[in-house]
Amino acid sequence: MFLESHHISRRSFLLSTLLTPAAMAIANTMRFDPKKLEPIGRNLQWKDGYVWCNSPIDGPDGKVHVFYSRWTADRKMGGWLNGCEIAHAVANSPEEPFEYVETVLAPRGGDAWDATTCHNPHIQKVDDKYCLFYMGNSNGQTNTKRIGLATATSLAGPWQRPDEPLLQPGDAGAWDDHCTTNPAFVKRNGKYWLFYKSWNTKDYETTTGPIRGNRKYGVAISSTLEGPYIKSAHNPILDFSARGNNEQLEDAFVWCEGKRFKMLARDMGFYNHEVGLYLESKDGLKWSHPEMAYASLKEYVSEPEPPSHLKRYGRFERPQLLIRNGRPTYLFTAAQGGPYGTSTAFIFKINQ
């Protein structure tokens, strides 16, 4: 469903109020311009459960492939943490319905590091391999979340699953001692950059309020795809905690255009909890002041009131881009709602 004219005006008004005149001038020169997002709508609507973390890639067959998280409705929204699997779907284009192909990674059980969930897929082709970065855990809790890397020579698999995570958390007391999660990846100047989210366990356990802990971002760099990945001395490279009000971010997607690193992320209080953030960096370590990347769901479509159990309804999470010829062409997000009262993919075309 596309916006009616009064919704377009409302969205433009929201953008102008969130961005200062100087920021608007910068935004108008950015290759990722929030005003150029055209909502295509919901996709991957699964009658049996929730769909999340939709990561697209063009295949050699001319089709668009998506690797995404899903879990059954009986687990409710929290199933991402204790019963999620990663599935593969295909469509002729991002504007057509995606069809489930198969489940490619499921919790392994036993004493495996990804025994209880497989989540946060991020697909790329790197060095003639298809690389599926993801998060797994071993106890259904946040403190065993770890980033791993599965690889294959074809999008059809088979996928070689790692026996050990790709990145471990920091030592006790460190800013990232709780977990490693939300992977984002770029290869730049012959180096392999793995961006990750984490937080401090003591902070997480003692924080009061609706959101526990303060999520920050770090990066680990390797000279080979398989690692080892060495954490930067500049970590955390994104930290909003000094601003107060427990401001933070998550769900980063990182790519490179020209001489710059670029990032989309989900806002968790910088502006509000329903918009996306856009940042740039010359070196991948020092990042610009965040600007708004996209608005909330209600600025793009009108939908019936959601069921009461959907506490995250109204915001787009885990942004992922379909990159073609080095340029973002479609934005894939996850959004609660849809015909089954769960969650679906929500896709935007990025008009150039």
Side-chain angles (χ1 to χ4, degrees), residues 39-154:
I40 302 302
R42 292 188 180 272
N43 208 320
L44 279 169
Q45 302 176 91
W46 185 35
K47 66 181 180 61
D48 294 325
Y50 292 78
V51 168
W52 212 253
C53 300
N54 308 281
S55 182
I57 189 170
D58 284 319
D61 55 1
K63 298 180 183 294
V64 181
H65 297 249
V66 169
F67 291 81
Y68 64 102
S69 301
R70 69 176 199 170
W71 60 94
T72 54
D74 60 294
R75 293 182 177 273
K76 303 186 186 310
M77 188 63 202
W80 70 269
L81 189 59
N82 57 27
C84 184
E85 64 184 21
I86 296 173
H88 175 197
V90 177
N92 290 323
S93 83
E95 300 185 29
E96 298 181 45
F98 282 86
E99 298 292 336
Y100 169 83
V101 176
E102 63 177 345
T103 296
V104 297
L105 296 177
R108 282 190 279 189
D111 58 0
W113 68 270
D114 52 2
T116 48
T117 211
C118 295
H119 191 61
N120 283 160
H122 173 61
I123 185 72
Q124 284 200 35
K125 190 173 186 182
V126 185
D127 300 342
D128 295 323
K129 291 182 180 179
Y130 289 101
C131 296
L132 186 55
F133 298 87
Y134 71 105
M135 177 275 287
N137 69 10
S138 59
N139 64 355
Q141 303 295 324
T142 60
N143 67 332
T144 60
K145 291 165 64 178
R146 304 287 186 270
I147 290 173
L149 170 61
T151 59
T153 57
S154 165

Side-chain angles (χ1 to χ4, degrees), residues 56 63 88 93 95 107 119 138 148 151 156 163 181 194 209 211 234 241 255 270 286 290-291 301 314 331:
K63 298 180 183 294
H88 175 197
S93 83
E95 300 185 29
H119 191 61
S138 59
T151 59
D163 292 330
T181 187
L194 180 62
I211 299 177
H234 297 274
S241 61
W255 76 106
F270 193 93
K286 297 178 181 178
E291 306 298 346
V301 295
L331 169 62

Side-chain angles (χ1 to χ4, degrees), residues 235-267:
N235 287 347
I237 57 171
L238 284 169
D239 177 0
F240 297 162
S241 61
R243 292 171 52 87
N245 300 315
N246 203 24
E247 294 179 13
Q248 52 195 287
L249 78 166
E250 67 172 1
D251 289 348
F253 178 95
V254 180
W255 76 106
C256 293
E257 285 188 63
K259 297 182 179 181
R260 287 188 173 269
F261 291 80
K262 300 188 174 187
M263 178 186 290
L264 294 180
R266 184 177 88 82
D267 191 359

Side-chain angles (χ1 to χ4, degrees), residues 179-248:
C179 61
T180 62
T181 187
N182 283 192
F185 176 86
V186 296
K187 183 179 179 182
R188 180 77 165 178
N189 297 328
K191 298 292 185 180
Y192 302 82
W193 295 62
L194 180 62
F195 296 84
Y196 69 101
K197 182 185 82 175
S198 190
W199 59 91
N200 175 265
T201 297
K202 183 177 180 181
D203 183 34
Y204 182 70
E205 293 175 345
T206 59
T207 299
T208 59
I211 299 177
R212 297 167 59 195
N214 188 274
R215 287 142 188 83
K216 304 175 177 67
Y217 258 85
V219 65
I221 303 171
S222 176
S223 58
T224 65
L225 175 64
E226 295 78 11
Y229 282 82
I230 307 302
K231 295 177 181 178
S232 171
H234 297 274
N235 287 347
I237 57 171
L238 284 169
D239 177 0
F240 297 162
S241 61
R243 292 171 52 87
N245 300 315
N246 203 24
E247 294 179 13
Q248 52 195 287

Side-chain angles (χ1 to χ4, degrees), residues 2-35:
F2 294 93
L3 288 168
E4 298 176 1
S5 59
H6 68 281
H7 285 140
I8 293 174
S9 298
R10 184 182 181 189
R11 179 172 50 147
S12 298
F13 173 76
L14 179 65
L15 289 169
S16 66
T17 57
L18 286 180
L19 297 180
T20 65
M24 285 291 286
I26 293 171
N28 288 332
T29 67
M30 291 177 179
R31 291 188 179 181
F32 189 90
D33 186 342
K35 297 186 297 300

